[in-house]
Amino acid sequence: MKIEHIGIAVKDLGISNDLFEKLLGAAPYKEEQVESEGVKTSFFAVGDSKIELVGSEKKDSAIEKYLEKNREGIHHIAFGVENIEFEIERLKNQGFTFINETPKLGADNKRVVFLHPKTTNGVLVELCEDVK
Ligand code: ZN
């Protein structure tokens, strides 16, 4: 596994894009709408990892609900894996529970699942695998 990206929940993607562009010295290399999640994302390259900004595009999206209860900030850590089905089985056998056990299409051409924070010390963990 490697840290593929860190997801940050933001209220206004435009304002946060400007902020992270100043911070990292480079513009996002892509912006992408993820229809299935009702979000818009932007990605910044940081070495071999990325920062993913996630803003709500739809009423009642998971991110909007999150931002009603929490401040903007770090939302999830995504681990890149080679074989997502294998890792899901491995982690289920270790007692971890998932928000979605069946990989779905996420941003940046990935198949993704999320582990439930109640079994990961309060950290929302994403596993992602490149779509082959
Ligand atoms: Zn993510």
Side-chain angles (χ1 to χ4, degrees):
M1 286 196 200
K2 60 169 186 171
I3 295 180
E4 213 282 331
H5 64 267
I6 293 173
I8 297 176
V10 304
K11 286 182 180 155
D12 185 310
L13 198 64
I15 290 171
S16 295
N17 275 342
D18 288 349
L19 176 73
F20 277 82
E21 183 170 341
K22 277 184 215 154
L23 180 68
L24 298 170
Y29 67 87
K30 81 147 75 162
E31 277 191 31
E32 187 180 342
Q33 221 154 330
V34 186
E35 216 67 63
S36 60
E37 299 285 334
V39 299
K40 193 166 180 192
T41 62
S42 61
F43 285 89
F44 293 81
V46 185
D48 288 336
S49 293
K50 301 160 187 168
I51 296 288
E52 174 190 34
L53 303 183
V54 190
S56 178
E57 276 272 286
K58 210 166 69 188
K59 273 250 161 281
D60 295 331
S61 68
I63 279 290
E64 182 157 304
K65 286 183 190 152
Y66 176 86
L67 286 171
E68 278 166 15
K69 291 187 223 142
N70 304 277
R71 288 187 221 173
E72 295 181 285
I74 292 181
H75 177 256
H76 64 273
I77 296 179
F79 296 113
V81 300
E82 292 292 318
N83 182 338
I84 200 165
E85 274 80 13
F86 174 85
E87 293 297 338
I88 291 165
E89 268 319 296
R90 184 179 74 80
L91 294 171
K92 269 165 65 177
N93 290 334
Q94 297 285 335
F96 292 96
T97 60
F98 288 76
I99 293 174
N100 64 301
E101 264 181 34
T102 309
K104 54 185 178 182
L105 205 55
D108 212 21
N109 207 33
K110 305 279 187 205
R111 296 169 67 223
V112 306
V113 293
F114 285 91
L115 278 79
H116 202 288
K118 75 181 176 201
T119 58
T120 51
N121 241 171
V123 179
L124 180 59
V125 171
E126 173 185 341
L127 302 181
C128 60
E129 178 195 73
D130 287 330
V131 174
K132 283 149 199 160

